[in-house]
Amino acid sequence: MSMSRRNFSLGLSALTLTACQSTPGTSSSSSVSKPQGLPADLRPQPNRDYAAWVASFRARALAKGITETSLNAAFRDTGYLPGVVKRDRNQTEFTRTLEDYLSIAASEERISKGRAAFARHSSTLKNLEQSYGVDAEIICAIWGLESYYGERTGDIPVISATSTLAFDGRRGSFYEKQLIAALKIIQSGDIAAHRMTGSWAGAMGHTQFIPTSYLSFAVDYTGDGRRDIWSDDPSDALASTAAYLQKNGWSRGTKWGWELRSGEIASRVIRPQAGGPRFAVTGNFNAIKRYNNSDSYAIGVGHLADRIGGAGPLRTPFPPDQYGLTKDDRIALQTRLTVRGFDTGGADGVLGPKSRAAIADYQRSVGIEPSGNPSQALLTSLG
């Protein structure tokens, strides 16, 4: 892929539809369905310019082999989603430390759920390992990172999302290709238009394939004639992920990498966080990065796969953060704030926006300048 699926969906990551007047391929505001549970800005909104764009797009779609019947079915009850444009334009560039990333990607809950999911689908996963050569645990770990083992596949209509982004124009050519690919998927009969849902940027199914990647790599593992990566049964999605990795250089029987012990050497070594663990990595590490071009993501997949397979935590501790706090300190800080009534959203040692807001609220309550920054003194003051 020219773009990783997580970068596609976040921007991993990774969340104003119809015309005022009814036009072929769009719906009027009075007839547009509004999926329950979605924020208001991810539901159809009247937009004349979008309606005109869809009308002009139809000719280009027909020239690409999309039929009138398919277009009418795909654009029924769809339209312009202002929230998609907002999310696309308001992406914040930030970098998590590897320690923070792994605290999320390989949390105890994700490991526990992964082991349970692996046990439920062990036969399928082992068969895929035999067929494609990709480790069963790696397939399961990607599933866990991409959709939390199918719990968070996304419920935004893909035709609405990709057509909105194609119309918006910031990456119009790219998203028009995704829209055409999505229409081809519908036309092939793999999925009905109303069931084709995904992230706000159009990544789909259990393992979050973008439409063009679906066309290149999706597999009908169940043999029912459809490559259904959206089904409650994840088999087609897991097989598609195995096929993706195999075709992007996965080598059978080779580990993704491993944590190096002190003094151990290897031919290729990376250390994403200064003072933290060092990892020996192989060509299969690169294959994972074809799924998402990030060292942290690839280590997250590999480490989660190892943990699902029964391995223990990393041996090398991470250094204290810029505030002099270890992960245990940060967990203690979050726990103590929560006890005091300042909601951090959980105690995982990752000080995200909610934790920093809780810190600021506590600082304000005791007459301290509300910087939102942690410190050893703050931890001590919380008892």
Side-chain angles (χ1 to χ4, degrees):
M1 272 188 306
S2 61
M3 186 181 198
S4 79
R5 277 168 5 304
R6 184 172 299 276
N7 287 341
F8 173 85
S9 60
L10 296 184
L12 142 12
S13 119
L15 247 270
T16 336
L17 215 144
T18 64
C20 292
Q21 59 187 35
S22 191
T23 341
T26 66
S27 303
S28 68
S29 59
S30 62
S31 63
V32 171
S33 63
K34 298 185 177 182
Q36 296 301 311
L38 287 177
D41 65 353
L42 291 174
R43 300 180 185 183
Q45 299 293 323
N47 187 305
R48 289 181 181 275
D49 291 337
Y50 168 84
W53 182 90
V54 171
S56 67
F57 165 77
R58 290 176 70 92
R60 298 193 296 278
L62 290 168
K64 295 285 187 179
I66 308 301
T67 66
E68 286 278 2
T69 299
S70 296
L71 281 167
N72 291 338
F75 278 94
R76 185 177 299 119
D77 294 337
T78 63
Y80 180 73
L81 305 179
V84 164
V85 176
K86 177 182 176 182
R87 286 157 178 76
D88 185 55
R89 291 181 178 175
N90 292 343
Q91 296 173 80
T92 301
E93 292 295 330
F94 68 94
T95 302
R96 289 193 188 277
T97 64
L98 179 62
E99 182 180 28
D100 277 359
Y101 186 86
L102 292 180
S103 292
I104 298 167
S107 66
E108 289 302 318
E109 182 179 37
R110 204 181 299 260
I111 293 165
S112 176
K113 283 180 174 287
R115 290 172 177 169
F118 191 95
R120 288 195 306 274
H121 300 281
S122 60
S123 177
T124 296
L125 289 163
K126 289 296 186 181
N127 285 340
L128 292 173
E129 180 176 309
Q130 183 64 32
S131 298
Y132 293 96
V134 180
D135 295 0
E137 292 84 0
I138 290 287
I139 301 168
C140 190
I142 288 177
W143 184 26
L145 283 187
E146 294 298 336
S147 72
Y148 219 67
Y149 312 104
E151 292 182 16
R152 304 169 187 172
T153 58
D155 55 1
I156 299 169
V158 169
I159 297 300
S160 293
T162 54
S163 62
T164 294
L165 290 167
F167 156 71
D168 178 61
R170 191 174 78 84
R171 287 181 286 168
S173 176
F174 175 81
Y175 280 107
E176 184 161 323
K177 289 178 182 177
Q178 300 308 318
L179 175 57
I180 291 287
L183 291 167
K184 288 180 178 179
I185 295 166
I186 293 168
Q187 185 163 289
S188 73
D190 280 314
I191 188 76
H194 71 276
R195 285 192 59 227
M196 182 185 271
T197 57
S199 74
W200 63 261
M204 311 177 299
H206 286 266
T207 50
Q208 295 291 280
F209 269 43
I210 60 175
T212 50
S213 290
Y214 176 101
L215 290 179
S216 296
F217 302 106
V219 171
D220 174 20
Y221 177 80
T222 62
D224 66 355
R226 296 181 298 114
R227 298 170 293 173
D228 191 352
I229 64 173
W230 302 266
S231 172
D232 289 342
D233 177 358
S235 298
D236 284 0
L238 299 176
S240 299
T241 296
Y244 183 99
L245 292 172
Q246 180 201 51
K247 293 177 182 178
N248 278 283
W250 187 274
S251 177
R252 183 188 294 269
T254 301
K255 299 177 64 174
W256 69 272
W258 61 93
E259 181 189 6
L260 289 170
R261 296 180 181 275
S262 177
E264 186 180 357
I265 60 174
S267 59
R268 183 184 173 197
V269 178
I270 62 172
R271 191 179 213 169
Q273 184 174 341
R278 297 180 308 134
F279 300 90
V281 296
T282 71
N284 285 344
F285 183 81
N286 295 336
I288 297 171
K289 287 183 66 175
R290 291 287 295 171
Y291 213 84
N292 184 323
N293 190 25
S294 158
D295 283 351
S296 290
Y297 177 84
I299 292 171
V301 167
H303 181 55
L304 178 58
D306 291 345
R307 297 300 308 275
I308 289 171
L314 296 174
R315 297 180 300 272
T316 306
F318 287 91
D321 64 18
Q322 61 180 310
Y323 304 104
L325 300 176
T326 64
K327 181 177 179 179
D328 287 344
D329 291 334
R330 295 191 296 272
I331 290 173
L333 179 64
Q334 290 171 317
T335 301
R336 293 175 192 180
L337 283 166
T338 301
V339 169
R340 294 286 193 99
F342 300 94
D343 183 15
T344 63
D348 57 4
V350 180
L351 300 183
K354 196 160 188 177
S355 288
R356 289 184 174 274
I359 290 171
D361 289 342
Y362 169 74
Q363 290 170 326
R364 201 174 288 110
S365 74
V366 296
I368 301 173
E369 180 69 23
S371 66
N373 293 327
S375 66
Q376 285 286 358
L378 183 69
L379 178 60
T380 299
S381 74
L382 284 162

